[in-house]
Amino acid sequence: GIQVEQSPPDLILQEGANSTLRCNFSDSVNNLQWFHQNPWGQLINLFYIPSGTKQNGRLSATTVATERYSLLYISSSQTTDSGVYFCAVVREGTYKYIFGTGTRLKVLA
Amino acid sequence: EAQVTQNPRYLITVTGKKLTVTCSQNMNHEYMSWYRQDPGLGLRQIYYSMNVEVTDKGDVPEGYKVSRKEKRNFPLILESPSPNQTSLYFCASSLGGGLAGTYNEQFFGPGTRLTVL
């Protein structure tokens, strides 16, 4: 099946720093989303981005479907950005969602 | 407010006692899905439904049942729960189901934390 790998697995930042999270996938996909799971376990939609670039405040994302990766950029990080970031994909021709391994982010005040 | 709701949010039960976790969405979405999240294993899809009366297995369907009799509801049934089904469960819905040309942004419920003793 399709493999979805995220890097880095863990990241510690000082408040105000910038970071780039990566999602690599091993097969063609029709769907890609980025989520933030906060410390209370809630899954929050960040971006629906099967291709192209989107921005939302301090966050932006880029998916290059032909090269099978997506990037999530966090600028001027805040302590509330802490949590786990997941990407999720749907392999082309299927209805099954596969989640990546996640990046655990801790932002220090 | 557009949302996915799950009940109960927390449940402690015993081995073998049948239970149902309900899921409902008010967005008229075609696609609904159940996931479980376990430490070290991430989120894995249990079952999904592309439309009313149409369901299919995800990656970890063993020990679970689902039904989709109405568009808005997608209950998860554990006929005989076992301790290895202790997990955090999420329901999700989207307008489309992942195929090209459909809008497939998934929205997640708040989660149900299940403990089976």
Side-chain angles (χ1 to χ4, degrees):
Chain A
I2 187 170
Q3 304 298 314
V4 183
E5 294 183 356
Q6 292 184 240
S7 60
D10 295 281
L11 187 58
I12 300 175
L13 298 174
Q14 212 52 49
E15 201 168 26
N18 302 329
S19 61
T20 300
L21 282 56
R22 188 176 181 103
C23 172
N24 289 336
F25 40 96
S26 61
D27 207 340
S28 299
V29 300
N30 287 328
N31 185 32
L32 191 142
Q33 278 186 262
W34 282 97
F35 297 92
H36 173 215
Q37 188 168 37
N38 64 22
W40 295 270
Q42 197 178 6
L43 280 164
I44 298 161
N45 288 25
L46 295 178
F47 293 101
Y48 170 70
I49 187 165
S51 63
T53 296
K54 290 186 178 180
Q55 179 153 8
N56 185 5
R58 297 181 295 104
L59 273 59
S60 63
T62 295
T63 297
V64 184
T66 53
E67 296 187 20
R68 300 183 182 169
Y69 73 88
S70 183
L71 302 174
L72 177 69
Y73 305 97
I74 305 174
S75 64
S76 304
S77 56
Q78 300 175 356
T79 55
T80 51
D81 294 333
S82 296
V84 184
Y85 290 80
F86 291 102
C87 63
V89 303
V90 177
R91 200 179 99 200
E92 205 170 73
T94 76
Y95 290 98
K96 289 186 177 182
Y97 280 81
I98 307 295
F99 273 75
T101 48
T103 292
R104 187 174 298 275
L105 173 66
K106 189 172 178 68
V107 180
L108 304 175
Chain B
E1 180 191 353
Q3 60 183 347
V4 179
T5 56
Q6 295 179 228
N7 283 292
R9 295 289 313 280
Y10 303 91
L11 179 60
I12 299 174
T13 189
V14 295
T15 299
K17 186 176 181 183
K18 181 179 178 180
L19 66 92
T20 299
V21 184
T22 64
C23 172
S24 184
Q25 51 92 6
N26 62 1
M27 296 171 279
N28 202 35
H29 283 171
E30 300 284 340
Y31 184 95
M32 296 185 75
S33 182
W34 277 102
Y35 299 85
R36 61 178 289 174
Q37 185 175 22
D38 303 289
L41 296 174
L43 283 117
R44 295 175 292 167
Q45 195 171 35
I46 303 171
Y47 269 97
Y48 59 92
S49 168
M50 293 80 79
N51 210 330
V52 175
E53 303 290 3
V54 182
T55 63
D56 206 349
K57 297 176 182 177
D59 286 331
V60 287
E62 295 78 19
Y64 304 95
K65 283 177 57 176
V66 293
S67 68
R68 187 96 179 269
K69 296 190 182 346
E70 307 166 277
K71 197 172 191 179
R72 64 182 292 125
N73 296 323
F74 190 45
L76 179 70
I77 303 157
L78 284 71
E79 294 268 4
S80 182
S82 62
N84 65 12
Q85 293 178 296
T86 293
S87 188
L88 177 59
Y89 291 86
F90 288 99
C91 180
S93 72
S94 64
L95 190 60
L99 294 186
T102 60
Y103 188 76
N104 303 315
E105 182 179 6
Q106 272 200 118
F107 296 89
F108 279 77
T112 294
R113 195 168 292 277
L114 172 66
T115 301
V116 183
L117 302 174

